[in-house]
Coordinates of all heavy atoms in Angstrom, one line a residue:
M1 N 17.2 1.5 5.5 CA 15.9 1.9 5.2 C 15.0 1.4 6.4 O 15.0 0.2 6.7 CB 15.4 1.2 3.9 CG 14.0 1.6 3.6 SD 13.3 0.8 2.1 CE 14.4 1.1 0.8
N2 N 14.2 2.3 6.9 CA 13.2 1.9 7.9 C 12.0 1.3 7.2 O 11.4 2.0 6.4 CB 12.8 3.1 8.8 CG 11.7 2.8 9.8 OD1 11.3 1.7 9.9 ND2 11.4 3.8 10.5
S3 N 11.7 0.1 7.5 CA 10.6 -0.6 6.7 C 9.3 -0.7 7.5 O 8.5 -1.6 7.2 CB 11.0 -2.0 6.2 OG 11.4 -2.8 7.4
A4 N 9.1 0.2 8.5 CA 7.9 0.1 9.3 C 6.8 1.0 8.6 O 6.8 2.2 8.6 CB 8.1 0.7 10.7
V5 N 5.8 0.3 8.0 CA 4.7 0.9 7.4 C 3.6 1.2 8.5 O 3.4 0.3 9.3 CB 4.1 0.0 6.3 CG1 2.8 0.6 5.8 CG2 5.1 -0.2 5.2
H6 N 3.1 2.4 8.6 CA 2.1 2.6 9.6 C 0.9 3.2 8.9 O 0.9 3.8 7.8 CB 2.6 3.5 10.7 CG 2.9 4.9 10.3 ND1 4.0 5.4 9.7 CD2 2.1 6.0 10.4 CE1 3.9 6.6 9.4 NE2 2.8 7.1 9.9
D7 N -0.2 3.1 9.6 CA -1.5 3.6 9.2 C -1.7 5.0 9.7 O -1.9 5.2 10.9 CB -2.6 2.7 9.6 CG -4.0 3.1 9.2 OD1 -4.2 4.1 8.5 OD2 -5.0 2.4 9.5
N8 N -1.7 6.0 8.9 CA -2.0 7.4 9.3 C -3.5 7.6 9.0 O -3.9 8.1 8.0 CB -1.2 8.4 8.5 CG -1.4 9.8 8.9 OD1 -2.4 10.1 9.5 ND2 -0.5 10.7 8.6
S9 N -4.3 7.1 10.0 CA -5.8 7.1 9.8 C -6.4 8.5 9.7 O -7.4 8.7 9.0 CB -6.5 6.3 10.9 OG -6.2 6.9 12.1
A10 N -5.7 9.5 10.2 CA -6.2 10.9 10.1 C -6.1 11.4 8.7 O -6.9 12.2 8.3 CB -5.3 11.8 11.0
R11 N -5.2 10.8 7.9 CA -5.0 11.2 6.5 C -5.5 10.1 5.5 O -5.3 10.3 4.3 CB -3.6 11.6 6.2 CG -3.1 12.8 7.0 CD -1.7 13.2 6.7 NE -1.8 13.9 5.4 CZ -0.7 14.4 4.8 NH1 0.5 14.4 5.4 NH2 -0.8 15.1 3.7
N12 N -6.0 9.0 6.1 CA -6.5 7.9 5.3 C -5.4 7.4 4.3 O -5.6 7.3 3.1 CB -7.8 8.2 4.5 CG -8.9 8.4 5.4 OD1 -9.1 7.7 6.3 ND2 -9.8 9.4 5.1
R13 N -4.3 7.1 4.9 CA -3.2 6.6 4.1 C -2.2 5.8 4.9 O -2.0 6.1 6.1 CB -2.5 7.7 3.3 CG -1.7 8.7 4.1 CD -1.2 9.8 3.2 NE 0.0 10.4 3.8 CZ 0.7 11.4 3.2 NH1 0.3 11.8 2.0 NH2 1.7 11.9 3.7
F14 N -1.6 4.8 4.3 CA -0.5 4.1 4.8 C 0.8 4.8 4.4 O 0.9 5.3 3.3 CB -0.5 2.6 4.3 CG -1.6 1.8 4.8 CD1 -2.7 1.6 4.0 CD2 -1.6 1.3 6.1 CE1 -3.8 0.8 4.5 CE2 -2.7 0.5 6.6 CZ -3.8 0.3 5.7
E15 N 1.7 4.9 5.4 CA 3.0 5.6 5.1 C 4.2 4.8 5.4 O 4.2 4.0 6.4 CB 3.0 6.9 5.9 CG 1.8 7.8 5.6 CD 1.8 9.1 6.5 OE1 2.4 9.1 7.6 OE2 1.2 10.1 6.1
L16 N 5.2 5.1 4.7 CA 6.6 4.5 4.9 C 7.5 5.7 4.8 O 7.7 6.3 3.8 CB 6.9 3.5 3.9 CG 8.3 2.9 4.0 CD1 8.6 2.2 5.3 CD2 8.5 1.9 2.8
D17 N 8.2 6.1 5.9 CA 9.1 7.1 6.0 C 10.5 6.6 5.7 O 11.0 5.7 6.4 CB 9.1 7.8 7.3 CG 10.0 9.1 7.4 OD1 11.2 9.0 7.1 OD2 9.5 10.1 7.8
I18 N 11.2 7.1 4.7 CA 12.5 6.7 4.4 C 13.4 8.0 4.4 O 13.3 8.8 3.5 CB 12.6 6.0 3.0 CG1 11.7 4.7 3.0 CG2 14.0 5.6 2.6 CD1 11.5 4.1 1.7
N19 N 14.2 8.1 5.4 CA 15.1 9.2 5.5 C 14.4 10.6 5.3 O 14.9 11.4 4.6 CB 16.2 9.1 4.6 CG 17.1 7.9 4.8 OD1 17.3 7.5 6.0 ND2 17.5 7.2 3.8
G20 N 13.2 10.7 5.9 CA 12.4 12.0 5.8 C 11.6 12.1 4.6 O 10.9 13.1 4.5
Q21 N 11.6 11.2 3.7 CA 10.7 11.2 2.6 C 9.6 10.1 2.7 O 9.9 9.0 3.2 CB 11.5 11.0 1.3 CG 12.5 12.1 1.0 CD 13.1 12.0 -0.3 OE1 12.4 12.1 -1.3 NE2 14.4 11.8 -0.4
V22 N 8.4 10.4 2.4 CA 7.3 9.5 2.7 C 6.7 8.9 1.4 O 6.3 9.7 0.5 CB 6.2 10.3 3.5 CG1 5.0 9.3 3.8 CG2 6.8 10.8 4.8
V23 N 6.7 7.6 1.4 CA 6.0 6.9 0.3 C 4.6 6.6 1.0 O 4.5 6.2 2.1 CB 6.7 5.5 0.0 CG1 6.0 4.8 -1.1 CG2 8.1 5.8 -0.3
F24 N 3.5 6.7 0.2 CA 2.2 6.5 0.8 C 1.2 5.9 -0.2 O 1.4 5.9 -1.4 CB 1.6 7.8 1.3 CG 1.4 8.9 0.3 CD1 0.1 8.9 -0.3 CD2 2.3 9.8 0.0 CE1 -0.1 9.9 -1.3 CE2 2.1 10.8 -1.0 CZ 0.8 10.8 -1.6
A25 N 0.2 5.3 0.4 CA -0.9 4.7 -0.3 C -2.2 5.3 0.3 O -2.5 5.0 1.5 CB -0.9 3.2 -0.2
N26 N -2.9 6.1 -0.4 CA -4.2 6.6 0.0 C -5.2 5.5 0.0 O -5.2 4.7 -1.0 CB -4.7 7.7 -0.9 CG -3.9 9.0 -0.7 OD1 -3.3 9.2 0.3 ND2 -4.0 9.8 -1.8
Y27 N -6.1 5.4 1.0 CA -7.1 4.4 1.0 C -8.5 4.9 1.5 O -8.6 6.0 2.0 CB -6.7 3.2 1.9 CG -6.6 3.6 3.4 CD1 -7.7 3.6 4.1 CD2 -5.4 3.9 4.0 CE1 -7.7 3.9 5.5 CE2 -5.3 4.2 5.3 CZ -6.4 4.2 6.1 OH -6.4 4.6 7.4
E28 N -9.5 4.1 1.2 CA -10.8 4.3 1.8 C -11.2 3.0 2.4 O -11.0 1.9 1.9 CB -11.7 4.6 0.6 CG -13.2 4.8 1.0 CD -14.1 5.0 -0.2 OE1 -13.6 5.4 -1.2 OE2 -15.3 4.6 0.0
R29 N -11.8 3.1 3.6 CA -12.3 1.9 4.3 C -13.8 1.7 3.9 O -14.6 2.6 4.0 CB -12.2 2.0 5.8 CG -10.8 2.0 6.2 CD -10.7 2.0 7.8 NE -9.3 2.2 8.2 CZ -8.5 1.2 8.5 NH1 -8.9 -0.1 8.3 NH2 -7.3 1.4 8.9
R30 N -14.2 0.5 3.5 CA -15.6 0.1 3.3 C -15.8 -1.2 3.9 O -15.4 -2.3 3.4 CB -15.9 0.0 1.8 CG -16.1 1.3 1.1 CD -16.8 1.2 -0.2 NE -16.7 2.4 -0.9 CZ -16.7 2.4 -2.2 NH1 -16.8 1.4 -3.0 NH2 -16.6 3.6 -2.8
G31 N -16.3 -1.2 5.1 CA -16.5 -2.4 5.9 C -15.1 -3.0 6.2 O -14.2 -2.4 6.7
S32 N -15.0 -4.3 5.8 CA -13.7 -5.0 6.0 C -12.7 -4.9 4.8 O -11.7 -5.5 4.7 CB -13.9 -6.5 6.3 OG -14.5 -7.1 5.2
T33 N -13.1 -4.0 3.8 CA -12.3 -3.8 2.6 C -11.6 -2.5 2.7 O -12.1 -1.5 3.0 CB -13.2 -3.9 1.4 OG1 -13.8 -5.2 1.3 CG2 -12.3 -3.7 0.1
L34 N -10.3 -2.5 2.3 CA -9.5 -1.3 2.1 C -9.4 -1.1 0.6 O -8.9 -1.9 -0.1 CB -8.1 -1.4 2.7 CG -8.0 -1.5 4.2 CD1 -6.6 -1.9 4.7 CD2 -8.4 -0.2 4.8
I35 N -9.8 0.1 0.1 CA -9.7 0.4 -1.3 C -8.5 1.3 -1.4 O -8.4 2.4 -0.9 CB -11.0 1.1 -1.8 CG1 -12.2 0.2 -1.6 CG2 -10.8 1.6 -3.2 CD1 -13.5 1.0 -1.7
I36 N -7.5 0.8 -2.2 CA -6.3 1.5 -2.4 C -6.5 2.4 -3.6 O -6.6 1.9 -4.7 CB -5.1 0.5 -2.6 CG1 -4.9 -0.4 -1.5 CG2 -3.8 1.3 -2.8 CD1 -4.7 0.2 -0.1
R37 N -6.6 3.7 -3.4 CA -6.9 4.6 -4.4 C -5.6 5.1 -5.2 O -5.7 5.4 -6.4 CB -7.7 5.8 -3.9 CG -9.0 5.4 -3.3 CD -10.0 6.5 -3.3 NE -11.3 6.0 -3.1 CZ -12.2 5.6 -4.0 NH1 -11.8 5.6 -5.3 NH2 -13.4 5.2 -3.7
Y38 N -4.5 5.3 -4.4 CA -3.4 5.9 -5.1 C -2.1 5.6 -4.3 O -2.1 5.6 -3.0 CB -3.6 7.4 -5.1 CG -2.6 8.2 -5.9 CD1 -2.6 8.2 -7.2 CD2 -1.6 9.0 -5.2 CE1 -1.6 8.9 -8.0 CE2 -0.7 9.7 -5.9 CZ -0.7 9.7 -7.3 OH 0.2 10.4 -8.0
V39 N -1.1 5.2 -5.0 CA 0.2 5.0 -4.3 C 1.2 6.0 -4.9 O 1.3 6.2 -6.2 CB 0.7 3.6 -4.6 CG1 2.1 3.4 -4.1 CG2 -0.2 2.5 -4.0
E40 N 2.0 6.7 -4.1 CA 3.0 7.6 -4.6 C 4.3 7.5 -3.8 O 4.3 7.4 -2.6 CB 2.4 9.1 -4.4 CG 3.4 10.1 -5.0 CD 2.8 11.5 -5.1 OE1 1.6 11.7 -5.2 OE2 3.6 12.4 -4.9
A41 N 5.3 7.7 -4.6 CA 6.7 7.7 -4.0 C 7.3 9.0 -4.5 O 7.2 9.4 -5.6 CB 7.5 6.6 -4.5
P42 N 8.0 9.8 -3.6 CA 8.7 11.0 -4.0 C 9.7 10.6 -5.1 O 10.3 9.5 -5.1 CB 9.5 11.4 -2.8 CG 8.8 10.8 -1.6 CD 8.2 9.5 -2.2
P43 N 10.0 11.5 -6.1 CA 10.9 11.2 -7.2 C 12.2 10.6 -6.8 O 12.6 9.6 -7.5 CB 11.0 12.5 -7.9 CG 9.7 13.2 -7.7 CD 9.3 12.8 -6.3
P44 N 12.9 11.0 -5.8 CA 14.2 10.4 -5.4 C 14.1 8.9 -5.0 O 15.0 8.2 -5.1 CB 14.7 11.2 -4.3 CG 14.0 12.5 -4.4 CD 12.6 12.2 -4.9
L45 N 12.9 8.5 -4.6 CA 12.7 7.1 -4.2 C 12.1 6.2 -5.3 O 12.1 5.0 -5.1 CB 11.8 7.1 -2.9 CG 12.3 7.7 -1.7 CD1 11.3 7.6 -0.6 CD2 13.6 7.1 -1.3
R46 N 11.7 6.7 -6.4 CA 11.2 5.9 -7.5 C 12.3 5.0 -8.0 O 13.4 5.4 -8.2 CB 10.6 6.8 -8.5 CG 9.3 7.5 -8.0 CD 8.7 8.4 -9.0 NE 7.7 9.2 -8.3 CZ 7.1 10.3 -8.8 NH1 7.5 10.8 -10.0 NH2 6.2 10.9 -8.1
G47 N 11.9 3.8 -8.2 CA 12.8 2.8 -8.7 C 13.8 2.2 -7.7 O 14.7 1.4 -8.0
T48 N 13.5 2.5 -6.4 CA 14.4 2.0 -5.3 C 13.8 0.8 -4.6 O 14.4 0.3 -3.7 CB 14.7 3.1 -4.3 OG1 13.5 3.4 -3.6 CG2 15.3 4.3 -4.9
G49 N 12.5 0.5 -4.9 CA 11.9 -0.6 -4.2 C 11.0 -0.1 -3.0 O 10.4 -0.8 -2.3
A50 N 11.0 1.2 -2.8 CA 10.3 1.8 -1.7 C 8.8 1.5 -1.8 O 8.2 1.2 -0.8 CB 10.5 3.3 -1.6
A51 N 8.2 1.7 -3.0 CA 6.8 1.4 -3.1 C 6.5 0.0 -2.9 O 5.4 -0.4 -2.3 CB 6.3 1.9 -4.5
D52 N 7.4 -0.9 -3.3 CA 7.2 -2.3 -3.1 C 7.2 -2.6 -1.6 O 6.3 -3.4 -1.1 CB 8.3 -3.1 -3.8 CG 8.3 -4.6 -3.5 OD1 7.3 -5.3 -4.0 OD2 9.2 -5.1 -2.7
T53 N 8.1 -2.0 -0.9 CA 8.2 -2.2 0.6 C 6.9 -1.7 1.2 O 6.3 -2.4 2.1 CB 9.4 -1.5 1.2 OG1 10.6 -2.0 0.6 CG2 9.5 -1.7 2.7
L54 N 6.4 -0.6 0.8 CA 5.1 0.0 1.3 C 4.0 -1.0 1.0 O 3.2 -1.4 1.9 CB 4.8 1.3 0.6 CG 3.4 1.8 0.9 CD1 3.3 2.4 2.3 CD2 3.0 2.9 -0.1
M55 N 3.9 -1.5 -0.2 CA 2.8 -2.5 -0.5 C 2.9 -3.8 0.3 O 1.8 -4.3 0.7 CB 2.8 -2.7 -2.0 CG 2.3 -1.5 -2.8 SD 0.6 -0.9 -2.4 CE -0.4 -2.4 -2.7
R56 N 4.1 -4.3 0.5 CA 4.2 -5.5 1.3 C 3.7 -5.2 2.7 O 3.0 -6.0 3.3 CB 5.6 -5.9 1.4 CG 6.1 -6.6 0.1 CD 7.6 -7.0 0.2 NE 8.0 -7.4 -1.1 CZ 7.8 -8.6 -1.7 NH1 7.1 -9.5 -1.0 NH2 8.3 -8.9 -2.9
G57 N 4.0 -4.0 3.3 CA 3.5 -3.6 4.6 C 2.0 -3.5 4.6 O 1.3 -3.9 5.6
V58 N 1.4 -2.9 3.6 CA 0.0 -2.7 3.5 C -0.7 -4.1 3.5 O -1.7 -4.3 4.2 CB -0.4 -1.9 2.3 CG1 -1.9 -1.9 2.0 CG2 0.1 -0.4 2.4
A59 N -0.1 -5.0 2.7 CA -0.7 -6.3 2.6 C -0.6 -7.1 3.9 O -1.6 -7.8 4.3 CB 0.0 -7.1 1.5
Q60 N 0.5 -6.9 4.6 CA 0.7 -7.6 5.9 C -0.3 -7.0 6.9 O -0.9 -7.8 7.7 CB 2.1 -7.5 6.4 CG 3.1 -8.3 5.5 CD 4.5 -8.0 5.7 OE1 4.9 -7.1 6.5 NE2 5.4 -8.7 5.0
I61 N -0.5 -5.7 6.9 CA -1.4 -5.1 7.8 C -2.9 -5.6 7.5 O -3.6 -6.0 8.5 CB -1.4 -3.6 7.8 CG1 -0.1 -3.1 8.4 CG2 -2.6 -2.9 8.4 CD1 0.2 -1.6 8.1
A62 N -3.2 -5.6 6.3 CA -4.6 -6.1 5.9 C -4.8 -7.5 6.3 O -5.8 -7.9 6.9 CB -4.8 -6.0 4.4
R63 N -3.8 -8.4 6.1 CA -3.9 -9.8 6.5 C -4.0 -9.9 8.0 O -4.9 -10.7 8.5 CB -2.7 -10.6 6.0 CG -2.8 -12.0 6.3 CD -1.8 -12.9 5.6 NE -2.2 -13.1 4.2 CZ -1.5 -13.2 3.2 NH1 -0.2 -13.0 3.3 NH2 -2.0 -13.4 2.0
A64 N -3.2 -9.2 8.8 CA -3.3 -9.2 10.2 C -4.7 -8.8 10.8 O -5.1 -9.3 11.8 CB -2.2 -8.4 10.8
E65 N -5.3 -7.8 10.1 CA -6.6 -7.3 10.5 C -7.8 -8.0 9.9 O -8.9 -7.7 10.1 CB -6.7 -5.8 10.1 CG -5.7 -4.9 10.9 CD -5.8 -3.4 10.5 OE1 -6.6 -3.1 9.5 OE2 -5.1 -2.6 11.1
G66 N -7.5 -9.0 9.1 CA -8.6 -9.8 8.4 C -9.3 -9.0 7.4 O -10.5 -9.2 7.2
R67 N -8.6 -8.2 6.7 CA -9.3 -7.3 5.7 C -8.9 -7.8 4.3 O -7.9 -8.5 4.1 CB -8.8 -5.9 5.8 CG -9.2 -5.2 7.1 CD -8.8 -3.8 7.2 NE -9.1 -3.2 8.4 CZ -10.3 -2.7 8.6 NH1 -11.3 -2.7 7.7 NH2 -10.6 -2.1 9.8
T68 N -9.7 -7.3 3.3 CA -9.4 -7.5 1.9 C -9.0 -6.2 1.3 O -9.3 -5.1 1.9 CB -10.6 -8.1 1.1 OG1 -11.7 -7.3 1.3 CG2 -10.9 -9.5 1.6
L69 N -8.4 -6.2 0.1 CA -7.9 -5.0 -0.5 C -8.5 -4.9 -1.9 O -8.6 -6.0 -2.6 CB -6.4 -5.0 -0.6 CG -5.7 -4.9 0.7 CD1 -4.2 -5.4 0.6 CD2 -5.7 -3.5 1.3
T70 N -8.9 -3.7 -2.3 CA -9.3 -3.5 -3.7 C -8.4 -2.4 -4.3 O -8.4 -1.3 -3.9 CB -10.8 -3.0 -3.8 OG1 -11.6 -4.0 -3.2 CG2 -11.2 -2.7 -5.2
P71 N -7.5 -2.9 -5.2 CA -6.5 -1.9 -5.7 C -7.0 -1.2 -6.9 O -7.2 -1.7 -8.0 CB -5.3 -2.8 -6.1 CG -5.9 -4.1 -6.4 CD -7.2 -4.2 -5.5
L72 N -7.4 0.1 -6.8 CA -7.9 0.9 -7.9 C -6.7 1.6 -8.6 O -6.7 1.8 -9.8 CB -8.8 2.0 -7.4 CG -10.2 1.5 -6.8 CD1 -11.0 2.7 -6.5 CD2 -10.9 0.5 -7.7
C73 N -5.6 1.8 -7.9 CA -4.4 2.4 -8.4 C -3.7 1.4 -9.3 O -3.6 0.3 -9.0 CB -3.5 2.8 -7.2 SG -1.8 3.2 -7.7
S74 N -3.3 1.9 -10.5 CA -2.6 1.0 -11.4 C -1.4 0.4 -10.9 O -1.1 -0.8 -11.1 CB -2.3 1.8 -12.7 OG -1.4 2.8 -12.5
Y75 N -0.6 1.1 -10.1 CA 0.6 0.5 -9.5 C 0.2 -0.6 -8.5 O 0.8 -1.7 -8.6 CB 1.4 1.6 -8.7 CG 2.6 0.9 -8.0 CD1 3.8 0.6 -8.7 CD2 2.5 0.5 -6.7 CE1 4.8 0.0 -8.1 CE2 3.5 -0.2 -6.1 CZ 4.7 -0.4 -6.8 OH 5.7 -1.1 -6.1
A76 N -0.8 -0.4 -7.7 CA -1.2 -1.4 -6.7 C -1.8 -2.6 -7.4 O -1.5 -3.8 -7.1 CB -2.2 -0.8 -5.7
N77 N -2.5 -2.4 -8.5 CA -3.1 -3.5 -9.3 C -2.0 -4.3 -9.9 O -2.1 -5.6 -9.7 CB -4.0 -2.9 -10.3 CG -5.0 -3.9 -10.9 OD1 -4.8 -5.1 -10.8 ND2 -6.1 -3.4 -11.5
V78 N -1.1 -3.7 -10.5 CA 0.0 -4.5 -11.1 C 0.8 -5.2 -10.0 O 1.3 -6.3 -10.2 CB 0.9 -3.6 -11.9 CG1 2.2 -4.3 -12.3 CG2 0.2 -3.1 -13.2
W79 N 1.1 -4.5 -8.9 CA 1.8 -5.1 -7.8 C 1.2 -6.4 -7.3 O 1.8 -7.4 -7.1 CB 1.9 -4.1 -6.6 CG 2.9 -4.6 -5.6 CD1 4.2 -4.4 -5.5 CD2 2.5 -5.4 -4.4 NE1 4.7 -5.0 -4.4 CE2 3.7 -5.6 -3.7 CE3 1.4 -6.0 -3.9 CZ2 3.8 -6.4 -2.5 CZ3 1.4 -6.7 -2.8 CH2 2.6 -6.9 -2.1
F80 N -0.2 -6.4 -7.2 CA -0.8 -7.6 -6.7 C -0.8 -8.7 -7.8 O -0.7 -9.9 -7.4 CB -2.3 -7.4 -6.3 CG -2.4 -6.8 -4.9 CD1 -2.7 -5.5 -4.7 CD2 -2.2 -7.7 -3.8 CE1 -2.8 -5.0 -3.4 CE2 -2.3 -7.2 -2.5 CZ -2.6 -5.9 -2.3
R81 N -0.8 -8.4 -9.1 CA -0.7 -9.4 -10.1 C 0.7 -10.0 -10.1 O 0.9 -11.2 -10.4 CB -0.9 -8.8 -11.5 CG -2.4 -8.7 -11.8 CD -2.7 -8.4 -13.2 NE -3.0 -7.0 -13.3 CZ -2.5 -6.2 -14.3 NH1 -1.9 -6.6 -15.3 NH2 -2.8 -4.9 -14.2
R82 N 1.7 -9.3 -9.7 CA 3.1 -9.8 -9.6 C 3.4 -10.5 -8.4 O 4.4 -11.3 -8.3 CB 4.1 -8.6 -9.8 CG 4.1 -8.0 -11.2 CD 5.1 -6.9 -11.3 NE 5.1 -6.4 -12.6 CZ 5.6 -5.2 -12.9 NH1 6.2 -4.4 -12.0 NH2 5.6 -4.8 -14.2
H83 N 2.7 -10.3 -7.3 CA 2.9 -10.9 -6.0 C 1.8 -11.8 -5.6 O 0.9 -11.5 -4.8 CB 3.2 -9.8 -5.0 CG 4.4 -9.1 -5.2 ND1 4.4 -7.9 -6.0 CD2 5.7 -9.3 -4.8 CE1 5.7 -7.5 -6.1 NE2 6.4 -8.3 -5.4
R84 N 1.8 -13.0 -6.2 CA 0.7 -13.9 -6.1 C 0.5 -14.4 -4.6 O -0.6 -14.8 -4.2 CB 0.9 -15.1 -7.0 CG 0.9 -14.7 -8.4 CD 0.2 -15.7 -9.3 NE 0.0 -15.2 -10.6 CZ -1.1 -14.7 -11.1 NH1 -2.1 -14.6 -10.4 NH2 -1.1 -14.3 -12.4
E85 N 1.5 -14.2 -3.8 CA 1.4 -14.7 -2.4 C 0.4 -13.8 -1.6 O 0.0 -14.2 -0.5 CB 2.8 -14.7 -1.7 CG 3.4 -13.3 -1.6 CD 4.3 -12.8 -2.7 OE1 4.1 -13.3 -3.9 OE2 5.2 -12.1 -2.5
Y86 N 0.0 -12.7 -2.2 CA -0.9 -11.8 -1.6 C -2.3 -11.7 -2.3 O -3.2 -11.0 -1.9 CB -0.4 -10.4 -1.4 CG 0.8 -10.3 -0.6 CD1 2.1 -10.0 -1.1 CD2 0.8 -10.5 0.8 CE1 3.2 -10.0 -0.3 CE2 1.9 -10.4 1.6 CZ 3.1 -10.2 1.0 OH 4.2 -10.1 1.8
R87 N -2.4 -12.5 -3.4 CA -3.7 -12.5 -4.2 C -4.9 -12.8 -3.4 O -6.0 -12.4 -3.7 CB -3.5 -13.4 -5.4 CG -2.6 -12.9 -6.4 CD -3.1 -11.8 -7.2 NE -4.3 -12.1 -7.9 CZ -5.1 -11.2 -8.4 NH1 -4.8 -9.9 -8.3 NH2 -6.2 -11.5 -9.1
D88 N -4.8 -13.6 -2.3 CA -5.9 -14.0 -1.5 C -6.5 -12.8 -0.8 O -7.7 -12.8 -0.3 CB -5.5 -15.0 -0.4 CG -4.5 -14.5 0.5 OD1 -3.4 -14.2 0.1 OD2 -4.7 -14.5 1.7
L89 N -5.8 -11.7 -0.7 CA -6.3 -10.5 -0.1 C -7.1 -9.6 -1.0 O -7.8 -8.7 -0.6 CB -5.1 -9.6 0.4 CG -4.3 -10.3 1.5 CD1 -3.1 -9.4 1.8 CD2 -5.1 -10.6 2.8
V90 N -7.1 -9.8 -2.3 CA -7.7 -9.0 -3.3 C -9.2 -9.3 -3.4 O -9.6 -10.4 -3.6 CB -7.1 -9.1 -4.7 CG1 -7.8 -8.2 -5.7 CG2 -5.6 -8.7 -4.6
A91 N -10.0 -8.3 -3.1 CA -11.5 -8.4 -3.2 C -12.0 -8.2 -4.6 O -11.5 -7.5 -5.3 CB -12.1 -7.4 -2.2

């Protein structure tokens, strides 16, 4: 699995390509905050950890850029509650 999450700023989403299928998180930038609006994984990747890998990458990018995150998506919100090591990023 290629675990390189990248920012597709033209589409306002972070993406993770896994064998030609893309897991993504739509976002909106507001100052130094990234608002995560929606996370989606194609049906064949659901339950494989792909969305978890995507969220870890999003959190690492936000930390490296000095940003905070606001998870509006229910998946992202639950993910941050389960991964306390990234709670400092939640605005």
Side-chain angles (χ1 to χ4, degrees):
M1 178 186 307
N2 177 0
S3 61
V5 174
H6 72 276
D7 181 0
N8 182 340
S9 58
R11 297 185 76 179
N12 291 322
R13 69 186 203 177
F14 292 100
E15 299 178 338
L16 172 62
D17 185 308
I18 300 172
N19 299 321
Q21 297 190 62
V22 178
V23 183
F24 64 89
N26 289 337
Y27 68 80
E28 175 186 337
R29 291 184 188 271
R30 281 198 195 150
S32 64
T33 301
L34 291 170
I35 300 167
I36 305 299
R37 297 205 168 271
Y38 189 72
V39 175
E40 183 174 328
L45 294 178
R46 293 177 187 164
T48 67
D52 175 70
T53 301
L54 171 74
M55 288 303 298
R56 286 180 191 279
V58 169
Q60 292 167 359
I61 290 168
R63 184 167 279 145
E65 293 179 357
R67 297 183 179 277
T68 56
L69 295 161
T70 301
L72 297 183
C73 166
S74 60
Y75 175 82
N77 199 337
V78 169
W79 189 89
F80 278 106
R81 278 192 262 140
R82 289 183 180 161
H83 295 88
R84 298 219 174 259
E85 66 271 27
Y86 297 110
R87 290 288 299 162
D88 62 301
L89 297 174
V90 178

